[in-house]
Amino acid sequence: RFLVCSFLDKDYGMLWVLSKTKNLSPSQIPSFSSSSSFVEFLKNIILKELAYVKAVDSGILKETSFLKHFQSEKNKILYDFYLKSLVNSVKVDSSEVKRYYLQKRDEKYFDPEKVIVKQIKVSTKELADSLSFVLKESPEKFDSLAYSFSINRNTTFGLMDPFEMGKYNNMGEVAFSLSLNEISNVIENLDRSFSIILLVDKLKKKHVPLKRVYSRVESLIYKQKQDNLKNSTLDGYINNSNVILGDDFKKYFN
């Protein structure tokens, strides 16, 4: 019931402002931290209203160029809204997620075979050869030698985190060739250091539990169903014998 603004010899209140903003998305309405920020927002609304009134008065809305452009924009909005409604209609059932997981778990959802090793890493070949000689005579000394001589992980007796095939280059390849509790020969690393490793354990390949990948599988199925629905729907229109395409559009479907 109070005046907000006046233009073109007319007065407008809050009901008019609400009528102009009710269809705006939340992202298009800023947070009003001050009266000036609200005034700036209101100016944009008034500017659009003035443009529309001037267009009507000048007859632009009846001009061929405007009508052609308007129809093009209208078609884009309808097309986007239709596609959005189409893809939003897709639903994914838990049984679909489980079925896809069971079909793909051997190739996609698994933890690969891994090994656990202890490593004595030193900076010279001479030291590595000397330690290797000692270990051949007394393999039970591996932990004490790792603690005394290894340049890393010595406080954990050289114990490394489990790793899969393809990691750590030469050392990784040798690790997968060893038997349990077997000690390797001296291995030359790419950084010019030298290692001796002891295979502690081999962890078999195992499937990742469904609950760990459920959201990922669900999203994948959801997107596949959306794409399939869009493609099948649009192909249905294009291949419909009752739909006649103008010559300007045929080149896009050949």
Side-chain angles (χ1 to χ4, degrees):
R1 290 181 177 273
F2 60 88
L3 178 66
V4 174
C5 59
S6 299
F7 60 93
L8 298 179
D9 299 325
K10 290 186 180 181
D11 300 328
Y12 300 92
M14 279 305 298
L15 284 178
W16 176 81
V17 175
L18 292 174
S19 70
K20 297 299 178 182
T21 59
K22 66 179 180 179
N23 292 326
L24 295 179
S25 66
S27 61
Q28 293 177 291
I29 301 177
S31 297
F32 302 120
S33 56
S34 63
S35 59
S36 59
S37 62
F38 176 74
V39 171
E40 288 301 316
F41 176 72
L42 195 60
K43 283 181 179 179
N44 289 327
I45 296 177
I46 295 172
L47 183 60
K48 292 177 181 178
E49 188 70 14
L50 286 171
Y52 178 76
V53 172
K54 293 289 186 181
V56 172
D57 291 345
S58 62
I60 289 178
L61 301 186
K62 297 179 181 179
E63 291 185 3
T64 302
S65 59
F66 172 82
L67 292 175
K68 184 177 180 180
H69 184 69
F70 177 78
Q71 187 61 41
S72 174
E73 293 301 316
K74 179 181 176 181
N75 290 342
K76 289 179 183 178
I77 293 173
L78 291 174
Y79 177 77
D80 291 341
F81 184 79
Y82 173 69
L83 278 186
K84 183 178 179 180
S85 301
L86 196 65
V87 298
N88 285 343
S89 67
V90 170
K91 305 296 180 185
V92 178
D93 187 79
S94 59
S95 62
E96 294 178 278
V97 176
K98 185 176 181 180
R99 183 166 58 251
Y100 184 91
Y101 167 79
L102 292 175
Q103 291 173 347
K104 300 292 184 178
R105 64 180 181 176
D106 287 334
E107 58 184 276
K108 296 180 68 173
Y109 305 113
F110 64 88
D111 285 328
E113 180 184 16
K114 296 180 180 181
V115 292
I116 301 175
V117 303
K118 288 182 178 179
Q119 175 188 209
I120 301 174
K121 187 174 183 179
V122 296
S123 56
T124 66
K125 179 74 161 54
E126 292 76 17
L127 179 55
D129 287 339
S130 298
L131 296 176
S132 181
F133 178 79
V134 173
L135 289 170
K136 281 181 170 57
E137 298 295 323
S138 306
E140 72 279 0
K141 292 184 178 181
F142 192 97
D143 284 0
S144 61
L145 294 178
Y147 182 80
S148 300
F149 296 100
S150 186
I151 60 178
N152 62 2
R153 301 187 183 88
N154 60 330
T155 56
T156 58
F157 309 107
L159 184 65
M160 299 179 65
D161 292 330
F163 61 87
E164 61 196 70
M165 179 70 78
K167 298 196 71 174
Y168 299 113
N169 302 300
N170 296 338
M171 191 270 284
E173 289 185 19
V174 173
F176 275 88
S177 69
L178 297 176
S179 302
L180 289 181
N181 299 314
E182 183 180 357
I183 298 175
S184 73
N185 294 320
V186 175
I187 305 166
E188 184 174 0
N189 301 313
L190 295 181
D191 62 358
R192 297 185 180 179
S193 63
F194 299 87
S195 295
I196 304 169
I197 60 175
L198 164 67
L199 181 62
V200 177
D201 198 5
K202 281 189 175 180
L203 306 178
K204 294 182 179 180
K205 170 183 172 180
K206 62 180 180 180
H207 295 122
V208 177
L210 175 58
K211 62 182 180 181
R212 274 178 50 190
V213 295
Y214 188 94
S215 296
R216 196 193 319 168
V217 176
E218 184 181 41
S219 297
L220 178 62
I221 297 174
Y222 187 76
K223 185 165 189 318
Q224 286 179 346
K225 293 181 75 171
Q226 285 182 324
D227 291 341
N228 291 339
L229 182 58
K230 284 194 293 185
N231 291 335
S232 62
T233 301
L234 296 178
D235 286 346
Y237 291 143
I238 294 170
N239 297 323
N240 188 335
S241 59
N242 294 321
V243 174
I244 300 174
L245 296 174
D247 292 336
D248 292 339
F249 298 98
K250 286 182 179 179
K251 61 183 177 182
Y252 298 108
F253 301 99
N254 291 333

